[in-house]
Amino acid sequence: PALGPDHPNVAAARHNLAKVLLGAGRADEALELAELAWTRREREDTLADSRAATAFVLARALWSTSTAASVRARAKGLAERAQVDFEAAGKAKEAEEVREWLRRPVP
């Protein structure tokens, strides 16, 4: 049987594709998939590292696609949440990657 749009595996597939698109410089396309993945993964029943990974992909997609202050503030908030969740999951390397992203100069 087909998986419904709310299934965790669908969120994982959306996250993975968004990450690949973002890495390929296709942030506009990544944004929609990251938003859909985040809708499922922001829930507390999601593992902290999975939630963090999607929050960080969404943060970077938002940042790349808009210079609006409200969008940039949301991106920063998502990245900060990702850092906390990565730390809670014991993912020090990933948490440091987020910290570095947050410290970078704003273009």
Side-chain angles (χ1 to χ4, degrees):
L3 302 176
D6 202 39
H7 194 280
N9 290 352
V10 173
R14 287 173 171 160
H15 162 86
N16 290 336
L17 184 53
K19 185 176 177 182
V20 168
L21 289 167
L22 191 60
R26 295 165 60 182
D28 289 327
E29 293 171 83
L31 181 58
E32 182 179 355
L33 289 166
E35 287 281 15
L36 290 168
W38 180 244
T39 298
R40 174 62 183 88
R41 284 193 161 179
E42 72 179 318
R43 299 180 192 170
E44 293 304 317
D45 67 344
T46 301
L47 295 173
D49 60 333
S50 295
R51 186 172 48 250
T54 298
F56 191 39
V57 166
L58 178 54
R60 290 180 292 146
L62 286 165
W63 194 274
S64 295
T65 57
S66 179
T67 57
S70 61
V71 174
R72 293 273 172 108
R74 180 175 178 226
K76 185 178 178 197
L78 284 162
E80 289 167 346
R81 179 171 182 177
Q83 180 184 340
V84 169
D85 281 343
F86 277 136
E87 289 169 351
K91 302 285 187 172
K93 178 182 171 194
E94 290 85 349
E96 181 56 30
E97 180 183 354
V98 176
R99 271 192 295 280
E100 288 176 16
W101 186 83
L102 285 165
R103 286 193 298 256
R104 83 212 177 294
V106 176

